[in-house]
Amino acid sequence: MDLQDQLKNLFPDHVPSNEPEETEEIAHELYVQKEPMICKYEKRKGKATTIIEGYEGSDEDFKILAKEIKTKLSVGGSFKDGAIILQGDYRDKIMKMLQDKGFKTKRVGG
């Protein structure tokens, strides 16, 4: 007894449709701003951290951007108080990544 037969036993009145469901995925557009985003280097508890601030769009867009940066660089980090905090000094890589997306960046510290 395969899955279709089991479903027919459970739901005898159901008529299966052979048409595949159509779902459209809309690409998410990030808000590109006029002011530059700030990439800072700080030491917190003796460890290097990179902080990205100055995004003027919505917090949800900034969280999506934070997740994308963290996965591409394979680093840990968090999103707090309108800033992305990453473990390690990755300013050059992050700035290049943001510039490729059309953002202006500014390097601060060190």
Side-chain angles (χ1 to χ4, degrees), residues 4 14-21:
Q4 292 295 331
H14 179 69
V15 178
S17 64
N18 293 333
E19 299 175 15
E21 294 183 23

Side-chain angles (χ1 to χ4, degrees), residues 65-80:
L65 183 64
K67 185 171 184 177
E68 184 178 329
I69 289 172
K70 289 191 303 184
T71 54
K72 282 190 179 180
L73 295 176
S74 300
V75 297
S78 64
F79 176 81
K80 291 182 185 174

Side-chain angles (χ1 to χ4, degrees), residues 44 51-53 62 78-85:
R44 293 189 175 182
I51 301 169
I52 304 166
E53 296 176 328
F62 205 34
S78 64
F79 176 81
K80 291 182 185 174
D81 302 325
I84 301 171
I85 303 167

Side-chain angles (χ1 to χ4, degrees), residues 6-41:
Q6 291 176 2
L7 288 174
K8 285 178 187 176
N9 289 339
L10 289 173
F11 306 104
D13 298 334
H14 179 69
V15 178
S17 64
N18 293 333
E19 299 175 15
E21 294 183 23
E22 295 180 20
T23 56
E24 289 184 28
E25 289 194 25
I26 301 170
H28 190 73
E29 291 287 322
L30 289 174
Y31 172 74
V32 179
Q33 59 199 33
K34 295 179 183 176
E35 294 297 316
M37 292 177 67
I38 298 170
C39 290
K40 288 196 288 188
Y41 170 77

